[in-house]
Amino acid sequence: MIYLENIGRYFLMLKSVFSKMTKWSMLRNLIFKEIDDLIIGSMGIVCFISFFVGGVVAIQTALNINNPLIPKYLVGFATRQSVILEFAPTFISIIMAGKVGSFITSSIGTMRVTEQIDALEVMGVNSLNYLVFPKIVALALYPFVITIAMFLGVFGGWLASIYGGFSTSADFIQGLQIEFIPFHVTYAFIKTFLFSFVLATIPSFYGYYMKGGALEVGKASTTSFVWTSVVIILINYLITQLLLT
Amino acid sequence: MIEVKNIKKSFDGVEILKGISTTFDKGKTNLIIGQSGSGKTVFLKSLLGLHIPEEGAILFDGKDYKSLSSKEQRELRTEMGMVFQGSALFDSMTVSENVMFPLRMFTNQAVSEMQDRVDIVLKRVKLIDAHHKFPAETSGGMQKRVAIARAIVMNPKYLFCDEPNSGLDPKTAIVIDNLIQEITDEYNITTVINTHDMNSVMEIGEKIVFLKNGIKAWEGTNKEIFKTDNESVTDFVYSSDLFKKVREVYLKELKE
Ligand SMILES: Nc1ncnc2c1ncn2[C@@H]1O[C@H](COP(=O)(O)OP(=O)(O)OP(=O)(O)O)[C@@H](O)[C@H]1O
Ligand SMILES: [Mg+2]
């Protein structure tokens, strides 16, 4: 029952987010600030993880093919497929649910418990638009983060294969190019775009509607991480079923 | 002037406000007193529209809040200033950005014009030297004063303060009380203050509404509160020996 109620409230929240817009001159500053916090601030960890996980994917693939009949380029091929299809869009989004999501929930939640949201409302500001809309816009740049994650993942795989002696550069690059289906990239970006919306709105929901004090802010962040991840995984499943089969 | 007509508010089936009616006059400091948990904050937030009462009406200079469109409600709210129990300053902004916020949000003034207005109100609350500090870098009393500055920067018609001097030393508390009263008088604001500070009651209680268990148990002025025989009021106001003595002396003086 509570789940249904929350889903209803979530959609009502979205409706308010897009109604009664805040003054553009204010919004613009907020959007830049959010881009700095949410996008630029996540670049470091995303780059680090992509590079090394890309490397590990390449090594694992190489180690698991002993059969001489399997072509050498498979390492490059497998790295490309796993990085572009799943690792960069989905895995990185789960990490972002932890990093960006808990940041959003705790910052909005703190504003709730310290009555800063009430203060906004009393002034006549649409607090949902003021707080959530800039986050949605800022996270619309999230696909760029994922593009970088894709490049670094593949690059990490290439470096690891060459330096580990698992594949030659030529074989790896041949693998990257073979049987390339452009639609896979479209598919990856469609889901990335949906994830960016989820990453901005679900954590905001848990922050905005929380009750209680500082302790509950911590709890809300955890709950928000769990549900953001669950929704990302479910959307991933649905989109894959719809677009790739 | 604010007229409150028989408002009722419950949470999860528990009635917190059980039908309260009163009026708050313009240019006066109106006080709401009552024990902790008696519903003062709920009452104030109902006046502001942060809680929606299930029954009753609230009239701002004759306009019924409930019957306004949501656009008109927001417009009316820009004429209100509120000082929250915990100050509720935006902690990502400096003191002067906090005070400037309503101006930036709701006016189209040039930055220099807004800055002048901010300087005026910050001087008024004696905080001009702290304008560049963040709320976390200021004391509780300073935060209260910033909150007051932010609440009055738009020249509100209605000012609401939820325990503006709780947690402050007696001297700072009096400074804040006097500040609120002066502002009320100067700009002819309808001011409503929640408090359980007896000093405030004596000093600035031009009208006092006493809440008990969700109903209005008494109302009057700070002169009348000395004389009243209403037991729940005397129980609450004169619960300390000091105030009992103050009352005796005052009543004696009156007789002479
Ligand atoms: N949002 C809410 N949901 C449920 N109950 C609430 C809510 N807000 C207040 N209450 C209840 O209403 C009652 C009155 O609370 P209120 O905060 O108005 O007291 P108060 O008079 O302001 O007390 P204090 O002087 O301590 O600030 C309390 O019993 C409180 O538990
Ligand atoms: Mg209170």
Side-chain angles (χ1 to χ4, degrees), chain A residues 211, chain B residues 11-12 16 34-43 51 85 162-163 194 196:
Chain A
K211 289 202 173 88
Chain B
F11 291 107
D12 311 315
I16 304 290
Q35 265 179 12
S36 187
S38 58
K40 299 186 296 294
T41 299
V42 173
F43 181 69
H51 292 320
Q85 200 160 353
D162 198 353
E163 308 201 9
N194 274 358
H196 34 209

Side-chain angles (χ1 to χ4, degrees), chain B residues 174-231:
Chain B
I174 288 174
V175 169
I176 290 196
D177 277 347
N178 290 338
L179 179 67
I180 296 174
Q181 191 177 34
E182 283 163 29
I183 293 167
T184 303
D185 198 46
E186 223 171 289
Y187 302 107
N188 202 19
I189 305 173
T190 309
T191 301
V192 183
I193 306 169
N194 274 358
T195 187
H196 34 209
D197 182 41
M198 282 312 127
N199 269 319
S200 310
V201 172
M202 307 300 173
E203 290 280 331
I204 60 167
E206 293 178 276
K207 163 149 188 181
I208 301 161
V209 174
F210 175 61
L211 295 189
K212 191 180 180 186
N213 301 327
I215 56 161
K216 181 179 80 181
W218 184 85
E219 71 179 346
T221 66
N222 54 359
K223 305 263 161 12
E224 291 163 351
I225 209 165
F226 279 109
K227 293 183 252 172
T228 179
D229 299 325
N230 185 314
E231 225 169 90

Side-chain angles (χ1 to χ4, degrees), chain A residues 20 22-23 25-26 29-30 33 110-111 114-127 130, chain B residues 45 48 50 74 77-78 82 84-86 88-91 93 101-108 150:
Chain A
K20 182 158 191 282
T22 308
K23 238 169 113 171
S25 59
M26 298 287 277
N29 294 341
L30 290 170
K33 192 176 163 298
T110 305
M111 290 186 74
T114 56
E115 296 180 312
Q116 292 177 52
I117 293 183
D118 284 341
L120 285 171
E121 285 292 324
V122 166
M123 289 176 196
V125 177
N126 176 357
S127 58
Y130 179 86
Chain B
K45 287 192 172 177
L48 284 157
L50 289 174
R74 285 194 190 281
R77 281 186 181 185
T78 60
M82 166 79 180
F84 284 87
Q85 200 160 353
L89 301 177
F90 303 123
D91 38 33
M93 301 179 196
F101 184 85
L103 296 174
R104 282 172 56 205
M105 197 54 123
F106 297 107
T107 70
N108 292 315
R150 185 177 67 182

